[in-house]
Amino acid sequence: MLSSPADPLDFRGVRRAYDTVAKTYASHLPDTRAEAPLDLAMIDAFAQAVTSRGDARVLDAGCGSGRMSRYLADRGCQVQGLDLSPGMIAMARRDQPDLMFTVGSLTALPYPDDQFAGVLLWYSTIHTPPAGQARIFAEAARVLRPTGHLLVGFQAGEGTRDLSAAYRRFGHEIHLERHHYAVDQVAAEIAAAGLREECRLVRRARGTERDDQAFLLARAG
């Protein structure tokens, strides 16, 4: 008997994995110390683009434990964080009690159209296979206001990596995969969602990183 193909929008395994590691994740990544100066420069450019128009509402979509939400809030953004994992949202609410966090999926954002001046997808598309990417960017475009901005960060490349061993070092037995995408591929998905690329940055791996890191800034309208 042939098995049916996996549902690209079934994230139950991803949710279980992050619920399991939430406390460890929040402990080891409490702030932006893992980011390179170039990474933060892209975040700064995004925050400036959003706040310069007088509407500073930003969705940190896939916020994890809220560390980038804090970084954006400190730069004048009015941030709402969203994550698939209730465990990660619990950590975000614990560590950033003055910010608002919600449990939800990137592929079905619980917000009306034209709600935000900015959407941040900071390494939050990486657990979605290729067949689900279009839905993520369509949802981001839907909740963006006209002339709003989107910033995407991800590991550039092709194929998948098994992240289980990385968490096994901390005593967690989980199954979690990361999908890699070529920069032009992500740019095409963004364009198909009706957004216009403004700039991109690709930097080489540093330290313990194994892959190049890529960032795309796009604009609605």
Side-chain angles (χ1 to χ4, degrees), residues 17-18 20-21 24-25 28-29 126-127 155 161-178 208-211:
Y18 276 111
T20 299
V21 306
T24 299
Y25 186 101
H28 284 80
L29 287 172
I126 60 176
H127 301 302
Q155 290 93 353
R161 288 199 189 280
D162 183 357
L163 303 183
S164 304
Y167 285 100
R168 193 172 296 121
R169 292 186 292 115
F170 298 102
H172 298 299
E173 287 294 338
I174 63 169
H175 175 70
L176 187 63
E177 287 186 337
R178 183 174 75 207
T208 60
E209 294 172 345
R210 299 174 60 187
D211 308 288

Side-chain angles (χ1 to χ4, degrees), residues 109-189:
L109 295 174
Y111 306 105
D113 298 354
D114 305 331
Q115 182 76 3
F116 298 99
V119 173
L120 177 68
L121 292 167
W122 197 250
Y123 294 88
S124 52
T125 65
I126 60 176
H127 301 302
T128 301
Q133 291 288 304
R135 180 69 175 270
I136 291 178
F137 291 114
E139 278 292 277
R142 180 184 65 79
V143 302
L144 269 179
R145 287 183 173 275
T147 72
H149 284 80
L150 170 72
L151 178 61
V152 188
F154 56 100
Q155 290 93 353
E158 297 179 347
T160 61
R161 288 199 189 280
D162 183 357
L163 303 183
S164 304
Y167 285 100
R168 193 172 296 121
R169 292 186 292 115
F170 298 102
H172 298 299
E173 287 294 338
I174 63 169
H175 175 70
L176 187 63
E177 287 186 337
R178 183 174 75 207
H179 299 271
H180 290 218
Y181 297 101
V183 180
D184 285 342
Q185 181 180 0
V186 175
E189 295 281 10

Side-chain angles (χ1 to χ4, degrees), residues 24 44 55 76 95-96 106 110 129 132 155 169 174 182 203 210:
T24 299
D44 291 343
D55 182 358
D95 295 341
Q96 317 295 341
L106 302 184
Q155 290 93 353
R169 292 186 292 115
I174 63 169
R203 69 163 176 82
R210 299 174 60 187

